[in-house]
Amino acid sequence: MKPEFENIPLVKTDKRFEIEVNGHYAFIDYRETTHQIALIHTEAEPELAGTGAAAAVVEKTLNYIEESGKKLLPYCPYVFAFIKKHPEWKRIVDERFDRYDKL
């Protein structure tokens, strides 16, 4: 994560994880059960394109999931690609995830 995002807090609402950067948002829609968090869709406002904000919200969310003790279901293609690029995060993916062997 780029240093400029390290001190920006991750906010969890009832339907998304988000960070705010200069009045603009990067967020991930999610669904949560007792033991799992499914990440559905990642998006950053156009003003944040190319800044690394989307990657920052993903990394902050993965840290949150790990700290919560829940397992990840990376349905979002951006999150899936992020984990392929950073395979150390596979440790929090639920082994029952249907594309686990593709990570």
Side-chain angles (χ1 to χ4, degrees), residues 15-96:
K15 62 182 179 180
R16 70 188 201 180
F17 293 95
E18 64 187 24
I19 61 172
E20 181 183 354
V21 183
N22 300 323
H24 301 286
Y25 290 88
F27 64 88
I28 304 174
D29 293 328
Y30 75 94
R31 305 275 187 287
E32 186 171 10
T33 66
T34 307
H35 303 291
Q36 299 170 318
I37 296 180
L39 300 182
I40 311 299
H41 173 74
T42 303
E43 189 172 326
E45 291 184 11
E47 295 84 355
L48 298 176
T51 66
V57 75
V58 168
E59 191 169 346
K60 287 174 179 285
T61 300
L62 296 180
N63 278 312
Y64 173 89
I65 293 169
E66 184 169 46
E67 290 169 8
S68 76
K70 296 191 178 196
K71 287 295 188 176
L72 167 65
L73 299 172
Y75 292 114
C76 169
Y78 185 87
V79 173
F80 189 90
F82 184 93
I83 293 169
K84 281 190 79 146
K85 188 175 179 181
H86 304 278
E88 66 274 15
W89 283 110
K90 190 173 177 180
R91 68 184 180 266
I92 67 169
V93 176
D94 192 319
E95 295 83 11
R96 296 169 291 181

